[in-house]
Amino acid sequence: TQASAPERLAQHDAMMKQRVTQHEAMTAAFKDLYAALSPEQRADFRRWGQRTFNLVIEYVAAARRSERELLLQEAERMGALYGHEASASGLSLAEAVEAFLFYRSPVVEAILAHLRRRVADISQVTAAVREANAAIDQVLLALVASYREGASS
């Protein structure tokens, strides 16, 4: 049987409370992680992260395949830089990934907000989210590979 409107509302409320709790825990962990870095390192990681995710947003918005390939390659290079520098800074791989993932949801939300302004249909939204997630995954794999290379040298 289908849940009633009050039941669905209660389920949604519980899910949102769980998300808030998870976000608060992640924010606290992120603050602890960044406290271990110097102000210069924090600024570098912030700048690299912003550049990386801006490239992902541009990648999703780009129409030409050649432009998309170049944007994805540059985003992967930024992910590799992030991984290398995280390793050199003494962050664990888990910490580096956690810092990277902290920004994933805001990027997907920015893409969705852009598509809503353009009044995109559901197929466009679905394709854009799929493309953004695939690109972010590629960047994350580059980060991990570079981190491992840095840790083994």
Side-chain angles (χ1 to χ4, degrees):
T1 64
Q2 193 170 10
S4 68
E7 290 170 331
R8 287 192 309 271
L9 187 58
Q11 290 169 347
H12 180 70
D13 186 50
M15 181 183 71
M16 293 307 292
K17 286 179 182 176
Q18 182 181 11
R19 280 189 179 171
V20 167
T21 301
Q22 290 170 336
H23 182 72
E24 288 171 348
M26 196 166 164
T27 300
F30 190 70
K31 286 180 182 177
D32 291 344
L33 163 73
Y34 263 45
L37 299 173
S38 72
E40 296 81 17
Q41 288 172 316
R42 286 193 299 270
D44 286 343
F45 279 105
R46 188 177 311 110
R47 188 176 64 252
W48 298 329
Q50 289 169 345
R51 174 70 181 135
T52 301
F53 285 116
N54 283 334
L55 287 164
V56 170
I57 291 168
E58 290 175 37
Y59 166 81
V60 171
R64 292 191 334 266
R65 182 182 187 138
S66 60
E67 182 182 6
R68 291 170 60 87
E69 288 174 2
L70 290 173
L71 289 164
L72 184 57
Q73 288 171 1
E74 180 63 18
E76 288 174 343
R77 280 194 291 275
M78 292 303 300
L81 172 66
Y82 201 96
H84 175 77
E85 293 299 323
S87 176
S89 298
L91 297 178
S92 70
L93 179 56
E95 289 169 329
V97 170
E98 182 178 359
F100 180 84
L101 292 177
F102 185 80
Y103 292 102
R104 182 184 198 126
S105 291
V107 168
V108 173
E109 288 299 320
I111 291 167
L112 290 173
H114 171 73
L115 290 172
R116 279 189 220 111
R117 285 191 299 272
R118 288 186 26 211
V119 193
D121 67 31
I122 192 70
S123 65
Q124 289 174 306
V125 172
T126 302
V129 170
R130 189 176 300 121
E131 290 171 0
N133 280 325
I136 292 168
D137 290 348
Q138 287 298 114
V139 173
L140 183 56
L141 290 172
L143 180 156
V144 170
S146 178
Y147 182 97
R148 288 183 174 154
E149 289 171 13
S152 66
S153 57

